[in-house]
Amino acid sequence: MSSESRLYTFSPETREKLRKFRLGTSRAKDAQAIIYIIDSKTQEIRPEDGTVYSKLEDIADELPESSPRFVLLSYPLTLPSGRLTVPYVLLYYLPENCNPSMRMTYAGAVELMRNTAEVNRVIEVESEEDVISIASKLGGTD
């Protein structure tokens, strides 16, 4: 077992929500996102408040200016070939001015979050603008 999995935890309820979100978003017509935080006292990774966002602007507005967050995002888009795709990604929000200990906390948990949420891709974002313009990154490949 890796060290980060001993450091950070997911409640059974959160694991079930992650699974349901992943399965429920694959056929979604609109973007869907949930913001996750790491509880500094318990080291539990959990949804910030349970809100499911459907607009990138709303997600950007909710992200704090000085502390990191994980954002699970399912974002339907049409490829240049005309094929519809629904990338399921983890946005690793790491603002430039966040404190070093928070930066380290989230850096230590990113792989665990990626594996537990079963996302294929992690995209690091630093600002609200990065979040709002994420569609351009999703259209490309790894």
Side-chain angles (χ1 to χ4, degrees), residues 40-79:
S40 56
K41 293 178 183 66
T42 64
Q43 298 300 304
E44 180 187 341
I45 302 172
R46 60 179 172 76
E48 187 168 51
D49 61 9
T51 303
V52 177
Y53 299 92
S54 59
K55 291 189 172 74
L56 295 173
E57 292 80 5
D58 294 343
I59 299 165
D61 288 346
E62 287 301 314
L63 293 170
E65 288 183 18
S66 60
S67 64
R69 292 289 184 271
F70 294 130
V71 181
L72 278 180
L73 174 65
S74 173
Y75 194 84
L77 53 94
T78 305
L79 298 174

Side-chain angles (χ1 to χ4, degrees), residues 17-136:
K17 283 181 180 170
L18 283 166
R19 190 182 74 77
K20 282 184 174 168
F21 184 73
R22 179 176 51 83
L23 296 174
T25 59
S26 62
R27 303 219 187 303
K29 303 274 184 267
D30 301 311
Q32 294 186 26
I34 298 178
I35 298 173
Y36 280 80
I37 63 169
I38 299 176
D39 186 304
S40 56
K41 293 178 183 66
T42 64
Q43 298 300 304
E44 180 187 341
I45 302 172
R46 60 179 172 76
E48 187 168 51
D49 61 9
T51 303
V52 177
Y53 299 92
S54 59
K55 291 189 172 74
L56 295 173
E57 292 80 5
D58 294 343
I59 299 165
D61 288 346
E62 287 301 314
L63 293 170
E65 288 183 18
S66 60
S67 64
R69 292 289 184 271
F70 294 130
V71 181
L72 278 180
L73 174 65
S74 173
Y75 194 84
L77 53 94
T78 305
L79 298 174
S81 66
R83 193 171 68 91
L84 180 69
T85 183
V86 185
Y88 179 59
V89 298
L90 175 64
L91 301 183
Y92 175 25
Y93 175 68
L94 197 61
E96 274 184 45
N97 58 346
C98 75
N99 84 39
S101 85
M102 288 290 283
R103 187 178 285 268
M104 291 303 293
T105 299
Y106 278 76
V110 72
E111 277 305 308
L112 179 65
M113 182 69 186
R114 173 189 194 145
N115 294 334
T116 306
E118 298 182 44
V119 297
N120 295 327
R121 191 168 168 201
V122 177
I123 300 174
E124 198 170 304
V125 290
E126 292 183 345
S127 67
E128 289 184 16
E129 292 78 37
D130 289 350
V131 173
I132 292 168
S133 65
I134 201 68
S136 60

